[in-house]
Amino acid sequence: MKVLNVEIDNLSLEESLKRLKKVKFVVTTNIDHLYNLRENPAFLKAYKEADMVLCDSKIISAISGFLFNSRLRQIAGSDYFPAACKFYNKDPSFKIFLLGGTTPMHAKKAAANLKKKCKARIVGYFSPPFGFEKNEDEIERIIHLINESGANLIAVGLGSPKQELLISRLRHSSLHNCTFMAIGATIDFQSGLLKRCPRVYTNIGLEWFYRFVQEPRRLFKRYFINGPQIILDLMTVNSAKHH
């Protein structure tokens, strides 16, 4: 389904997991992504390279019901990656590298927890330093670490749009045979050092509000200025469609 300038795959969790080994670049779309895709041409270009785009937003899911008379199925990005770890934990060819996390400790703890909880084959992890994306030596270091690990699924948790832009670069390096998954704050959540929203808020579509309360200064513009603009755009498209 085409939502503004991005086509989103309407897949169930199981369907998306079965498809995972056949794709090279996975993203999970939310309202913030839709805003940045409109404002950032480089981000849009990187996003267009993704060959599996999932809906990570109850709002987008609900509005799609009006736009297409069929709701996009929501797959929360923070649930998708651990689900993939469990789904493929008996597959010896499924080797995972965690790239991201707020600090090296977040990455280390996430790797340990995923190994314990999901029996995941985590073969390496690295939390790059601030500003690494502007340093070619750091990019080469990342490529070397992943190659040395033997990983074929690279879970990139650096926040959007940084993670998608980095994946676009890494896909065209010696890592071109790997599968990349953009997973946002999932590494921090899996570390246990960043508390995820209680399920009751997630179930009623208020995870955004829980996150806003945690970081109001950083997230005010995202949720109260940019987000409403995109929702208005979506409703305008819906109105035009029905006239």
Side-chain angles (χ1 to χ4, degrees):
M1 298 182 186
K2 189 168 185 180
V3 180
L4 297 182
N5 55 1
V6 61
E7 291 189 356
I8 302 177
D9 297 303
N10 193 15
L11 301 170
S12 69
L13 177 60
E14 186 173 0
E15 287 169 341
S16 64
L17 290 172
K18 287 179 178 178
R19 188 182 291 192
L20 183 57
K21 291 187 76 173
K22 300 175 184 177
V23 301
K24 297 299 181 185
F25 186 0
V26 183
V27 295
T28 56
T29 305
N30 58 33
I31 291 290
D32 186 55
H33 286 199
L34 291 180
Y35 179 85
N36 287 323
L37 285 166
R38 187 177 65 182
E39 303 296 319
N40 186 335
F43 181 40
L44 178 61
K45 184 174 182 291
Y47 222 87
K48 293 287 189 183
E49 295 181 19
D51 40 18
M52 187 157 69
V53 182
L54 304 176
C55 175
D56 182 8
S57 168
K58 283 191 178 295
I59 295 174
I60 295 174
S61 174
I63 293 176
S64 70
F66 292 103
L67 290 173
F68 307 107
N69 299 317
S70 175
R71 289 181 63 150
L72 283 162
R73 284 167 281 191
Q74 186 209 6
I75 300 174
S78 297
D79 293 329
Y80 185 65
F81 175 61
C85 290
K86 289 179 182 177
F87 192 81
Y88 285 103
N89 64 10
K90 291 183 173 63
D91 185 339
S93 69
F94 202 74
K95 300 175 183 177
I96 304 164
F97 191 99
L98 303 181
L99 179 58
T102 301
T103 68
M105 182 57 71
H106 284 77
K108 182 178 180 180
K109 282 186 170 291
N113 288 341
L114 286 164
K115 286 178 181 179
K116 184 177 180 180
K117 291 189 301 181
C118 305
K119 302 294 187 286
R121 288 180 172 79
I122 310 292
V123 296
Y125 57 86
F126 180 60
S127 175
F130 181 77
F132 77 93
E133 69 276 13
K134 300 173 185 175
N135 186 326
E136 287 302 318
D137 289 339
E138 286 292 341
I139 299 295
E140 288 301 318
R141 179 186 182 193
I142 288 169
I143 293 170
H144 174 74
L145 288 171
I146 295 173
N147 273 324
E148 285 290 299
S149 73
N152 52 15
L153 173 68
I154 320 304
V156 187
L158 295 166
S160 182
K162 184 185 292 186
Q163 60 194 12
E164 290 84 6
L165 294 172
L166 177 64
I167 289 171
S168 181
R169 294 181 68 180
L170 297 182
R171 298 183 69 231
H172 301 292
S173 70
S174 57
L175 303 175
H176 58 87
N177 286 323
C178 294
T179 295
F180 292 87
M181 187 186 298
I183 62 170
T186 305
I187 293 173
D188 286 350
F189 290 142
Q190 290 299 319
S191 75
L193 298 175
L194 177 64
K195 188 176 179 183
R196 195 180 171 196
C197 173
R199 184 66 64 178
V200 63
Y201 286 95
T202 303
N203 290 342
I204 60 175
L206 285 178
E207 184 166 357
W208 68 269
F209 185 73
Y210 181 86
R211 293 194 66 187
F212 167 71
V213 171
Q214 289 182 309
E215 300 181 87
R217 294 184 67 179
R218 185 176 77 85
L219 296 176
F220 178 83
K221 184 179 180 184
R222 175 188 295 187
Y223 292 135
F224 291 96
I225 298 176
N226 299 348
Q229 286 183 34
I230 289 299
I231 292 171
L232 180 61
D233 287 351
L234 286 168
M235 297 311 293
T236 301
V237 169
N238 178 54
S239 177
K241 183 179 178 229
H242 287 85
H243 285 84

